[in-house]
Amino acid sequence: MKRVVLFKEEEIERRVGELADELNKVYSGKEVVVIPLLRGGVVFAMDLVKKFKFPVEMDFLTTSSYGFSDTTSGNVNILNDIRTDVKGKDVLLVDDIIDTGKTLLKVKEFMLSKSPASIKVCTMLDKPSRRVEDIQPDFTGFKVEDLFIVGYGLDYQNFYRNIPYIFVFEKEEGEE
């Protein structure tokens, strides 16, 4: 496998700090329920919340649309719901990447049915060239081209999430 680094660990760390600064201004004086989408969004979310200066309640939502493929099935399933009652609370959804927008649109609609005071979306990566749904993140780390990328929460067949940088995943000729 060939690794072409797209974002180095230091670049990611710097950008996460900048996003935290933005969010600290938006949520100053508020209590927020932060909901990372499992599994990909958890690495980014953990780094982000450590820099928050406002009270944070955390819960987790598990979704699935990829399975073991490198392309989305288009069917978004909510596998595990949150336990927190978000009615009247400010909610921040955190995910690793938004590409087609199908997952985040379904999750946002699902969360809106729980009557939060507000709901915003923060993604580490935005791949607008693949967007098929009318949804945009409120906060984004980096915009990326239509490449298959892994690392920093993003996976290929459930591996590489622990890599501290983001790289383009390319199989070598003859690799499976």
Side-chain angles (χ1 to χ4, degrees), residues 31-125:
E31 293 180 13
V32 179
V33 180
V34 175
I35 303 174
L37 302 190
L38 296 178
R39 298 178 211 175
V42 75
V43 174
F44 171 44
M46 293 303 104
D47 285 348
L48 192 62
V49 299
K50 288 187 258 181
K51 299 177 183 318
F52 287 166
K53 296 177 180 167
F54 51 87
V56 173
E57 184 174 356
M58 288 190 76
D59 207 331
F60 301 89
L61 188 68
T62 308
T63 62
S64 175
S65 67
Y66 280 80
F68 281 106
S69 175
D70 58 2
T71 57
T72 181
S73 67
N75 299 319
V76 178
N77 298 305
I78 294 176
L79 304 177
N80 293 322
D81 195 356
I82 61 171
R83 297 179 183 179
T84 305
D85 180 5
V86 297
K87 186 174 184 177
K89 297 180 180 180
D90 293 302
V91 170
L92 178 65
L93 297 173
V94 179
D95 204 5
D96 53 0
I97 190 167
I98 179 172
D99 52 19
T100 65
K102 288 179 181 280
T103 298
L104 276 173
L105 183 64
K106 177 151 185 174
V107 168
K108 191 171 181 179
E109 289 171 350
F110 178 73
M111 293 307 299
L112 284 170
S113 74
K114 298 176 181 287
S115 304
S118 72
I119 187 163
K120 294 196 182 300
V121 174
C122 181
T123 61
M124 185 65 204
L125 302 167

